[in-house]
Amino acid sequence: PALQGYCGADASYKSQTYNYSTEWNNATQTFTGTYYSNAVWTITENGTMPSSIKPAYKLTISGTGAIGDFGPSWSFGRPWHFELIKNNIAVTDVRLSITAIEISDGITEIGAHAFEAYPNVTSIVIPDSVTKIGEKAFNYCQGATSITLGSGLREIGKTAFSDCDALTTISFPDKLETIGESAFSGCNNLSGDLVIPDSVKTIGEAAFANDTKLTG
């Protein structure tokens, strides 16, 4: 059966509070947070992990409005991690086992740390309904060779796509206004010409730091 729960930020909707803890590496790791039914996360099986016989999963976010912010812990910062652990996925495999992400049209904001550090996700598509991508939302998605930004995007938060090492090109939508601090820093293979649309008003410090293959 699919694993499912709430991940929205709109307090006018029905709420769900997560209080999880698990023992790992001789310490108790915890997650606590309240989220709302305007956005729902679903985990379904998606074949096997690369170079492994262990199961892989697809993470789908559906609904309307904003996705909530999450904690900064890579392995314990999101409620679906604990559901996978409860489903007998090893702590060390939780992030690795997510190999696909789908964000449904209707979501308007992507919260901080929402999809951080999923190295086996190869493609990221932001729907046209999204206007804001939060801090470190896709930081360290090292396997993402393709990132498509929707036409409605206005703001890319700081460190949102930093250290996406496999990314080679990026195209910005015409309505984009803000590129945050370190937003694409450490994208080592981002190359060729970088085109900033006329709509952009702010580019944060170190937004493209260490992207040494950019040539124009």
Side-chain angles (χ1 to χ4, degrees):
L3 304 174
Q4 194 172 76
Y6 299 163
C7 61
D10 190 339
S12 67
Y13 283 73
K14 184 179 178 182
S15 67
Q16 181 178 18
T17 298
Y18 300 93
N19 289 288
Y20 292 141
S21 63
T22 190
E23 296 296 324
W24 181 67
N25 203 22
N26 298 319
T28 300
Q29 304 288 338
T30 62
F31 176 84
T32 300
T34 298
Y35 298 94
Y36 303 92
S37 63
N38 66 287
V40 174
W41 63 266
T42 305
I43 289 282
T44 52
E45 287 199 20
N46 190 44
T48 57
M49 288 164 45
S51 304
S52 175
I53 61 172
K54 297 178 181 180
Y57 294 90
K58 177 182 178 180
L59 171 62
T60 301
I61 308 293
S62 57
T64 59
I67 300 171
D69 294 332
F70 298 92
S73 171
W74 283 6
S75 294
F76 301 98
R78 283 139 281 181
W80 49 85
H81 290 175
F82 281 92
E83 291 295 337
L84 286 172
I85 292 168
K86 288 164 59 178
N87 206 39
N88 296 319
I89 302 301
V91 170
T92 52
D93 288 337
V94 166
R95 292 184 301 104
L96 303 180
S97 68
I98 295 177
T99 57
I101 295 170
E102 180 179 342
I103 304 167
S104 299
D105 194 48
I107 296 298
T108 59
E109 296 184 15
I110 298 174
H113 305 282
F115 309 107
E116 184 176 15
Y118 292 140
N120 289 326
V121 171
T122 58
S123 176
I124 297 168
V125 178
I126 308 299
D128 293 341
S129 58
V130 171
T131 61
K132 178 181 178 180
I133 298 173
E135 178 180 355
K136 294 190 176 182
F138 296 92
N139 171 51
Y140 224 74
C141 288
Q142 293 179 299
T145 59
S146 171
I147 296 175
T148 303
L149 303 177
S151 62
L153 188 62
R154 302 290 198 280
E155 180 180 348
I156 299 174
K158 65 180 183 180
T159 326
F161 294 97
S162 64
D163 298 302
C164 290
D165 292 342
L167 184 66
T168 57
T169 61
I170 190 70
S171 178
F172 296 116
D174 291 337
K175 295 180 181 179
L176 184 66
E177 296 179 354
T178 301
I179 301 173
E181 176 185 335
S182 300
F184 292 88
S185 66
C187 293
N188 300 327
N189 287 299
L190 194 60
S191 60
D193 289 346
L194 183 70
V195 179
I196 307 296
D198 292 340
S199 57
V200 171
K201 301 175 181 178
T202 303
I203 300 176
E205 182 179 359
F208 301 95
N210 299 316
D211 298 346
T212 56
K213 292 185 179 179
L214 289 174
T215 55

